[in-house]
Amino acid sequence: MSTNNVESRVIKAPATVVWDALRKQDFKFWALVKSAQLSSSPSEVGATRTTTFTDGTVQKHRLVEFSEINRFLTYEIIDSDPAIHSLSAQHTIRVFPVSADDSSFVQWSSDFSSEGSLEAVMDSKYKKLEALADLAKAVEK
Amino acid sequence: MSTNNVESRVIKAPATVVWDALRKQDFKFWALVKSAQLSSSPSEVGATRTTTFTDGTVQKHRLVEFSEINRFLTYEIIDSDPAIHSLSAQHTIRVFPVSADDSSFVQWSSDFSSEGSLEAVMDSKYKKLEALADLAKAVEK
Amino acid sequence: MSTNNVESRVIKAPATVVWDALRKQDFKFWALVKSAQLSSSPSEVGATRTTTFTDGTVQKHRLVEFSEINRFLTYEIIDSDPAIHSLSAQHTIRVFPVSADDSSFVQWSSDFSSEGSLEAVMDSKYKKLEALADLAKAVEK
Amino acid sequence: MSTNNVESRVIKAPATVVWDALRKQDFKFWALVKSAQLSSSPSEVGATRTTTFTDGTVQKHRLVEFSEINRFLTYEIIDSDPAIHSLSAQHTIRVFPVSADDSSFVQWSSDFSSEGSLEAVMDSKYKKLEALADLAKAVEK
């Protein structure tokens, strides 16, 4: 078992469109997310986001890395109610353009502290795959 | 005009299969390549490869970077007959697994010395797109 | 001649201290900079900065990448008066901790559009080395 | 506790000299290493190396990544007698040139499987710092 998990998907929309849906971090495309509130500009590193999931979980995330040129953002989970089975987790979502047909390759990678349980990692794996499928639904025409 | 050109394509075959076709560097999948001869093991950094293209061009390439874990390789063109319109060029081909459907995202990036003419860069662009299409044909079922 | 130039220096201060001096982007440590005004928070990607140099040059920079966890920032020059001898330029400054003695390794890399003249690249090289020396003076004790 | 550990040091010798000492992978500079035998060329990815330490430990390493242009190499431990307290470990050593004074910054990073005990990680930390000090002694004049 690894404490790093990477999921990825091809999305049939240009990288600029996919990145636009991700960079604002309202996660409107994600069926599991009920709402997301940002403390300030979505591109301000250090900004926090309170995300409420449809199952009632409320998480506080902090943006720690943001790249407009390489189209990636990294956030860490700084609070979770109920607590997640991992002392800490860091997520990076990156969009790569697919030049041959102007679509996108999206990679979502998560690092868990070594206390991350297998259960937490598996849960994250399936949630990322679902989120990427939701993202595809939101931006593909 | 940039002196860096990146082309990419999704290939409907697992990353291990796509990487297997690339890592041996015989470029058998590439319609424009007539033959490729290696001076030693394909994974030995420093090895040279003599590539004969179907239009008669003969190029000597040297492997300068090779990663089995991240599935990429970099080679530089050290000789070309006839000469190419660029003092030097370096190519990196990288394979990323697409976890959602077990396919692959392949990225081919080239750096040209600043003397690289627009013509040389455009030529490289179309040749890479063709090569990636040939690779898809060779490994997709 | 390459259109990429990288300069670097070891600075005898912890990475957190060096990064603190850089992340606010007021460039107070840099003798060549007279003043720098930011349009918003220094960690907000997209923010612009107007930098006035002691020789009278005024440049407008835009932050395009910022990482709190990997301690790097990237900005591009979007306007310059007088114009610089390069259609465009992008600068990345990154701080690496040196664990053996709690000092820092700072790398400053610049990408110039291919129209960048040799003169512009050389000028940038010496200015970066000077700026790194100034940074050392400002944070070393 | 993290399952990743990075140690680094500045070495007062040019990057080409430091990389020369590392790339052959005989680890002659390292006081803790008695001997190292390679199965083939040191730059051949896939090559294995049998390293005998002065305390009697014998480890088998496999090269999985090698870059002549970016001066890094990655190997994984595929066998150890006695067994190490970690199911797996991967080490990357990278040399960065320090342009201001033509010295080098060397970064040694290790990834441990999540079963890596705190003890194993701490042991690795001190051994890396010692190895880097030994490397400095071997190449600095």
Side-chain angles (χ1 to χ4, degrees):
Chain A
M1 182 200 119
S2 161
T3 53
N4 177 266
N5 173 253
V6 185
E7 301 302 332
S8 53
R9 186 188 174 99
V10 174
I11 292 187
K12 296 195 182 314
T16 48
V17 171
V18 177
W19 176 240
D20 270 357
L22 286 167
R23 73 182 297 293
K24 41 187 164 166
Q25 296 163 70
D26 56 8
F27 289 101
K28 281 225 167 109
F29 65 84
W30 196 356
L32 282 188
V33 169
K34 201 173 147 188
S35 67
Q37 276 188 303
L38 280 97
S39 68
S40 58
S41 160
S43 70
E44 183 175 350
V45 173
T48 56
R49 184 178 72 232
T50 304
T51 307
T52 307
F53 292 88
T54 48
D55 70 353
T57 304
V58 179
Q59 287 188 354
K60 211 168 166 181
H61 298 166
R62 180 170 45 215
L63 187 69
V64 291
E65 202 169 54
F66 190 94
S67 174
E68 204 67 80
I69 43 173
N70 292 310
R71 296 188 192 90
F72 67 81
L73 60 87
T74 302
Y75 60 90
E76 47 184 37
I77 302 180
I78 53 176
D79 200 16
S80 181
D81 176 20
I84 51 168
H85 300 283
S86 167
L87 281 197
S88 65
Q90 200 175 77
H91 294 266
T92 297
I93 310 179
R94 181 166 182 165
V95 183
F96 297 80
V98 181
S99 75
D101 62 1
D102 202 19
S103 65
S104 304
F105 167 65
V106 184
Q107 203 186 41
W108 189 325
S109 100
S110 312
D111 279 306
F112 298 93
S113 71
S114 60
E115 286 82 2
S117 68
L118 178 57
E119 189 193 355
V121 176
M122 283 297 110
D123 185 57
S124 170
K125 175 190 170 81
Y126 294 119
K127 283 208 175 109
K128 278 185 291 213
L129 284 170
E130 274 174 34
L132 291 172
D134 289 344
L135 176 60
K137 241 186 291 176
V139 297
E140 291 180 351
K141 279 174 197 168
Chain B
M1 184 200 120
S2 163
T3 52
N4 178 265
N5 173 254
V6 185
E7 301 302 332
S8 53
R9 187 188 173 99
V10 174
I11 293 187
K12 297 195 179 313
T16 49
V17 171
V18 177
W19 175 239
D20 270 358
L22 286 168
R23 73 181 298 294
K24 42 187 163 165
Q25 295 161 71
D26 57 8
F27 288 99
K28 281 224 166 113
F29 64 84
W30 195 356
L32 282 190
V33 169
K34 201 175 150 186
S35 68
Q37 275 188 305
L38 281 96
S39 67
S40 59
S41 160
S43 70
E44 182 175 348
V45 173
T48 56
R49 182 178 74 234
T50 303
T51 306
T52 306
F53 291 87
T54 48
D55 69 355
T57 304
V58 179
Q59 286 188 354
K60 209 167 168 182
H61 299 167
R62 178 168 46 213
L63 187 69
V64 291
E65 201 169 55
F66 189 95
S67 174
E68 204 67 82
I69 43 172
N70 291 311
R71 295 188 192 91
F72 67 81
L73 60 87
T74 302
Y75 61 89
E76 46 183 37
I77 303 180
I78 52 176
D79 201 16
S80 180
D81 178 19
I84 50 168
H85 301 283
S86 165
L87 281 197
S88 65
Q90 201 175 74
H91 294 266
T92 297
I93 310 177
R94 181 165 182 164
V95 183
F96 297 81
V98 181
S99 76
D101 61 1
D102 203 19
S103 64
S104 304
F105 167 64
V106 184
Q107 203 185 43
W108 188 326
S109 98
S110 312
D111 280 306
F112 298 93
S113 71
S114 59
E115 287 84 359
S117 67
L118 177 57
E119 188 194 356
V121 175
M122 284 297 108
D123 184 58
S124 169
K125 174 189 171 80
Y126 295 118
K127 283 207 174 112
K128 279 186 289 214
L129 284 171
E130 274 175 33
L132 291 173
D134 289 345
L135 175 59
K137 242 187 289 178
V139 298
E140 291 181 351
K141 276 171 199 171
Chain C
M1 183 200 120
S2 161
T3 53
N4 178 265
N5 172 254
V6 185
E7 301 301 333
S8 54
R9 187 189 173 100
V10 174
I11 293 186
K12 297 197 181 311
T16 49
V17 171
V18 177
W19 176 238
D20 270 357
L22 286 168
R23 73 181 298 293
K24 42 187 164 167
Q25 296 161 69
D26 56 9
F27 289 101
K28 282 224 167 114
F29 64 84
W30 195 356
L32 282 189
V33 170
K34 201 176 150 187
S35 67
Q37 275 188 303
L38 281 96
S39 67
S40 58
S41 159
S43 70
E44 182 174 349
V45 174
T48 56
R49 184 178 73 233
T50 304
T51 307
T52 306
F53 292 87
T54 48
D55 70 353
T57 305
V58 179
Q59 286 189 353
K60 208 166 167 183
H61 299 166
R62 179 169 45 215
L63 187 68
V64 291
E65 202 170 53
F66 190 95
S67 174
E68 203 68 80
I69 42 174
N70 292 311
R71 295 188 192 91
F72 67 81
L73 61 86
T74 301
Y75 61 89
E76 46 183 38
I77 302 180
I78 53 175
D79 201 16
S80 180
D81 177 19
I84 50 168
H85 300 285
S86 165
L87 281 198
S88 65
Q90 200 173 75
H91 294 265
T92 297
I93 310 178
R94 181 166 182 164
V95 182
F96 297 80
V98 180
S99 76
D101 61 1
D102 202 19
S103 64
S104 304
F105 167 64
V106 184
Q107 203 185 43
W108 187 326
S109 98
S110 312
D111 280 306
F112 298 93
S113 72
S114 60
E115 286 83 1
S117 67
L118 178 57
E119 189 193 356
V121 175
M122 283 298 108
D123 184 58
S124 169
K125 174 188 170 82
Y126 294 118
K127 283 207 174 112
K128 279 184 291 211
L129 284 171
E130 273 174 35
L132 291 173
D134 289 344
L135 176 59
K137 241 186 291 176
V139 297
E140 292 181 351
K141 278 171 199 171
Chain D
M1 182 200 120
S2 162
T3 52
N4 177 266
N5 173 254
V6 185
E7 301 301 334
S8 53
R9 188 189 172 99
V10 174
I11 292 186
K12 296 196 181 312
T16 49
V17 171
V18 177
W19 175 239
D20 270 357
L22 286 168
R23 72 181 299 294
K24 41 188 164 166
Q25 296 162 71
D26 56 9
F27 289 100
K28 281 225 166 110
F29 64 84
W30 195 356
L32 282 189
V33 169
K34 202 174 148 186
S35 68
Q37 275 189 305
L38 280 98
S39 67
S40 58
S41 159
S43 70
E44 183 175 349
V45 173
T48 56
R49 182 179 74 232
T50 303
T51 306
T52 306
F53 291 87
T54 48
D55 70 353
T57 304
V58 178
Q59 286 189 353
K60 208 168 167 181
H61 299 167
R62 181 170 43 216
L63 187 69
V64 292
E65 203 169 54
F66 189 95
S67 174
E68 203 67 81
I69 42 172
N70 292 309
R71 295 189 192 88
F72 67 81
L73 60 87
T74 302
Y75 60 89
E76 46 183 38
I77 303 180
I78 53 176
D79 201 16
S80 180
D81 177 19
I84 50 168
H85 300 284
S86 166
L87 282 196
S88 66
Q90 201 174 75
H91 295 265
T92 297
I93 310 178
R94 181 166 181 163
V95 183
F96 297 81
V98 181
S99 75
D101 61 2
D102 203 18
S103 65
S104 303
F105 167 64
V106 185
Q107 202 185 43
W108 188 325
S109 99
S110 312
D111 279 306
F112 298 94
S113 71
S114 59
E115 287 84 0
S117 67
L118 178 57
E119 189 193 356
V121 176
M122 284 296 110
D123 185 59
S124 169
K125 175 189 171 79
Y126 295 118
K127 284 207 173 114
K128 278 185 291 214
L129 284 171
E130 273 174 35
L132 291 173
D134 288 345
L135 176 60
K137 239 187 292 178
V139 298
E140 291 180 353
K141 277 174 199 169

